[in-house]
Every structure is written in structure tokens, then in C-alpha cells.
Amino acid sequence: MDTAPPTLPSTSTPAQDTRNRRKGATAAALASAVEWYDYFVFGIAAALVLGDLYFPAGNPSAGVLASFATFAVGFLARPFGGVIAGHLGDKRGRKPMLVLALTLMGVATTGIGLLPTYETIGIAAPILLVTLRVMQGIAVGAQWGGAMLLATEYAPEGKRGIYGSFVQLGVPIGVVTANSVFLLAGAFTSESAFAAWGWRLPFLVGLLVLVLAWYIHKHVEETPEFRAAERALAEKEKEEKGQATEQGADKEAGRGAGKGKSGDGARNSPLRTILRGHLGTVFLAGGSFAVNTATFYILITGVLDYTTRELDMNRGAVLTVSLCVSLTQLVLIPASAALSDRVGRIRIYGLGAAGIALWAVPMFLLIDTGSLLWLAVGTFVASCFLSIMYGPQAALFAELFTPEMRYTGASLGYQIAAVLGGGLAPFVMVLLLETTGTSMSVSAYIIGLAVIALGSIKVLADRARSR
């Protein structure tokens, strides 16, 4: 059930509405795909080469930990991107912030591809790498809310879930593309050439993001719900000014009073409104999603390092399994989102979280066999539960907040989950494996996050029922 107000009637023709809806949904999906591609190539490179090139150490685990710590820095930066873009996106519009996020990501990713190594420029290399990773984090933190709202706020009634899933598809598309490019780079270069320059090629593809940013800037219109919120605010300000005039204030004083009143509203300070009255909802959203993002990054980054370094499995074979598993999400994510339009977001979302908790132990028991077949089975089933949860997530988060503070609220909830879950997950996984010597400790970590998720989901469901 939708908790946000319905979209106001459009003043454009049905044909224009259809064109704008398709153009907005396509742009949102492409923006999400290219942005996540740029973000994921760093995770793959962190597991394969960045530790040796930028954090040389005698102990291989120390280099991997340093590399994953840099990976996590990008997640720590994501809430800043979400706050800044959310605040401005709720005031200035969804489209400008999405264009800015894409531009920043393109510049940062290309910069990593051109960055000299520690051997060439010394300590400046890891410092610059961390700086560029922070830029990536700010960009992806700003992007998700803009792309998600570009899709969901264009959605026709009753189809917000499926439209939101177009943005969610950017994640598996980004993973598939990043893995494919790394596989191609490895296939056409020797081991030494890959370590020297082959790994840079996937980062240089980031230049294409700038082309998409230009296209969205030129050809995509602002969302109808944001335009409706703008019109409603203008009407409210007009009424307030008229009331001030009727009470005997002069023209300039009336205008100032009107501005003062509207300045206290969510439109002029969406972040303040969220912090004062909706922070609990933000944390519940973040708590409900942390298990999903943590498990996801464990699968695509932590397991890649674990299987190649600890289990001596072939890098190309493991990447191929990851690629194939991600392809299945292209079907499962929109399917679960469409189902949520029929039976409700919370029900589908909670089913995915429960499945992750139940599968955490069997998954690592299968991975520990060192068999590619059982690795594929273990990660595929986990990916199914992640997709069931991820499909309706965009629409669910959008419906938790009204349009004038939706970019800020939804972005904050998502990025809090990214910090608590995804950013730290590969790092925590390596630490747990080094400390305990068993992968069951990683399963326990996933189960703990799943319990938090199920508790948060129950509170959100209770609130929805009370409304």
C-alpha cells in the first residue's frame, strides 16, 4: 500500500506523458547502471590488484585489508552525497542533482584509471586513491535518490514498484558489466600486463558517464511530482502573503512575513524537517536494508577475495560465477517489484530478509567446499533472496516520505544502510576470517544484521497499519 500522496493530474497530453515517462524511466535505469558500474569496478580491483599496487606490505592480508578499508571509505562518504544532493534535490529538482552526481562519478573513476602507483609517486598514490574513492562515494550517494525518484515519480498509479525496479536493475547490470570488462581485460593480457596496466581499462570506461550526464541534462524533464510540489508551495506562499496584507501589514513587510513562514517549511529546509520529525523513519529504513547491502558486497567482493586467496580457486572462474548469478537478478528484481505492487511492499521485503537469515550458514558451507558448482548454488540462492528484497525497496523508501522531503529522507535511509552494511562488510569479513579462522563467523554477522532488518521491518509494518 502506498503511503505517499498520489501524483497530481498532469497538464500535458497523454502522448507527452507517455514519452516523458518512458524517457525518465530509461534515463534513470541507465544512470543507475553506469554509476554502479563505475562504483563496482573499484570493489573488484580492490580484491584483485589495488592492495599490492597502492598498499604494499609483507603480509598479503594486510594489503587486502588496506584495500578494503579504502573501499569502505567510499561508503562512509555516501551519506554526505545523500544529504547534500537530497537537500538540494528537494529544493531545486531531481534532475540537476542526478546530472551533477554522474559528472562527479565520471571524473573520479577516470582519475583512478590514470592514477600512478605507490612505486611511482610513493605515499601520494594511496592518498589520491582515497580522495578519488571519496568522490565516488559522494557521487553514488547523490545518484541513487535522484535516479530512484526520476523513475518512481514518473510511475503511473499502481506501478511504482515496477518503475522503481528499473533503477534497482542498475546494480546487477553494473556488476555484470564490471565483471565482464575485467574478464576481457584479463583474457587479453598476461598476468604481468594485467597487474601493470590491464586493470586500468575498466576504469577508463567511466568517461561514458559524462555522455549520459549531458543527455539527461538536455533531454529529460523534471518529475511531475516535484513540479506539483513546486506549484503547491507557490500557492501556499501566495495565500500567506495575502493573509499578511489583509492584517494591515505593508507590502514589503507582508512579503517578508510570507518568506519567513515558508522558510520554516520542508521545502526550504528538507534536512531540518527530516532531522526534527522523521529521523526515526530514516533509521528504520537504514536498519531494514543493511543486511541486504552487506550480504551483496560480501558476495561480489569478499567472496572473490576469500575464494581466490584462501581457497585457491581460479580468479576468472569465480568472476564468471559472479557474472552468471548477477544475470539472474535481471529477472528476479522486476518480478519481485511487480509482485509488491499487488500484495504490498512490506510483505515481499520481509520475505527476502528472512530468507537471507536462513541461508547465511548453508551458503558458506557450500562455498567452503571449494567447488565452483557449490559456489554457484550457494551464491545463487542468496542472490534470489537479495533480489526479492531489493526489487520493492526503491518504491518502499519513496513511499515513506512526502515529495518535498523525499529525496533527503530516502537517500539518508539508503546511505545509512550502505555505511553500516556494504562499506564495512568486506573489511569485517576479512577480520572475522583472520580472527576466528572459520567462515561461520561471517554467517553469524549476516544473521545479526538480518535480525535488525526484521525488527525494523516489523515497526515499519505496524506504522503502515496504523495509518
Side-chain angles (χ1 to χ4, degrees), residues 223-235:
T223 70
E225 285 197 33
F226 180 80
R227 295 197 302 267
E230 288 274 277
R231 290 194 297 269
L233 177 67
E235 289 295 325

Side-chain angles (χ1 to χ4, degrees), residues 305-322:
D305 167 65
Y306 177 60
T307 53
T308 55
R309 184 167 57 87
E310 297 289 342
L311 302 181
D312 295 322
M313 297 178 71
N314 179 267
R315 180 186 68 199
V318 174
L319 282 172
T320 301
V321 168
S322 179

Side-chain angles (χ1 to χ4, degrees), residues 149-433:
L149 294 180
L150 195 64
T152 59
E153 290 188 348
Y154 262 118
E157 186 177 356
K159 293 186 177 180
R160 185 173 275 161
I162 188 65
Y163 269 69
S165 73
F166 296 155
V167 175
Q168 307 298 72
L169 285 176
V171 172
I173 291 173
V175 172
V176 168
T177 309
N179 277 318
S180 298
V181 173
F182 264 100
L183 282 170
L184 288 173
F188 288 100
T189 59
S190 63
E191 286 288 334
S192 58
F194 180 82
W197 56 268
W199 67 270
R200 297 180 182 275
L201 299 178
F203 287 92
L204 298 180
V205 177
L207 286 169
L208 297 177
V209 178
L210 301 177
V211 177
L212 180 61
W214 174 85
Y215 174 83
I216 293 175
H217 174 69
K218 287 291 186 180
H219 299 288
V220 177
E221 295 185 10
E222 188 55 78
T223 70
E225 285 197 33
F226 180 80
R227 295 197 302 267
E230 288 274 277
R231 290 194 297 269
L233 177 67
E235 289 295 325
K236 181 180 178 182
E237 288 179 340
K238 185 178 179 179
E239 290 176 6
E240 289 175 348
K241 290 176 183 178
Q243 291 172 0
T245 302
E246 290 174 2
Q247 290 169 359
D250 63 84
K251 186 176 181 180
E252 290 298 320
R255 184 179 296 113
K259 288 181 180 177
K261 289 182 181 180
S262 65
D264 291 333
R267 169 62 175 79
N268 285 316
S269 187
L271 178 60
R272 185 190 311 160
T273 302
I274 289 290
L275 295 178
R276 285 180 175 178
H278 303 273
L279 195 57
T281 302
V282 168
F283 280 112
L284 286 170
S288 74
F289 193 62
V291 66
N292 186 289
T293 188
T295 307
F296 174 77
Y297 283 102
I298 284 173
L299 290 181
I300 69 163
T301 302
V303 168
L304 177 59
D305 167 65
Y306 177 60
T307 53
T308 55
R309 184 167 57 87
E310 297 289 342
L311 302 181
D312 295 322
M313 297 178 71
N314 179 267
R315 180 186 68 199
V318 174
L319 282 172
T320 301
V321 168
S322 179
L323 186 153
C324 293
V325 168
S326 295
L327 284 172
T328 64
Q329 293 184 310
L330 299 178
V331 176
L332 293 170
I333 286 175
S336 64
L339 187 60
S340 78
D341 282 330
R342 293 178 175 273
V343 304
R345 317 273 183 237
I346 291 288
R347 188 174 299 174
I348 301 302
Y349 194 65
L351 176 63
I356 293 171
L358 294 173
W359 189 247
V361 170
M363 177 179 70
F364 270 100
L365 290 176
L366 294 174
I367 292 172
D368 284 343
T369 64
S371 162
L372 277 177
L373 174 62
W374 292 122
L375 169 68
V377 172
T379 55
F380 168 72
V381 175
S383 179
C384 290
F385 290 123
L386 292 178
S387 300
I388 290 170
M389 194 177 183
Y390 198 56
Q393 184 254 342
L396 174 64
F397 278 29
E399 291 163 0
L400 293 175
F401 306 95
T402 52
E404 66 273 11
M405 59 178 169
R406 182 175 289 157
Y407 201 140
T408 303
S411 292
L412 268 178
Y414 187 95
Q415 303 313 332
I416 286 173
V419 172
L420 298 179
L424 295 175
F427 185 82
V428 170
M429 178 176 173
V430 174
L431 280 181
L432 289 172
L433 291 170

Side-chain angles (χ1 to χ4, degrees), residues 12-22:
S12 57
T13 66
Q16 289 174 323
D17 284 342
T18 300
R19 282 197 301 271
N20 289 337
R21 185 178 296 127
R22 289 175 179 173

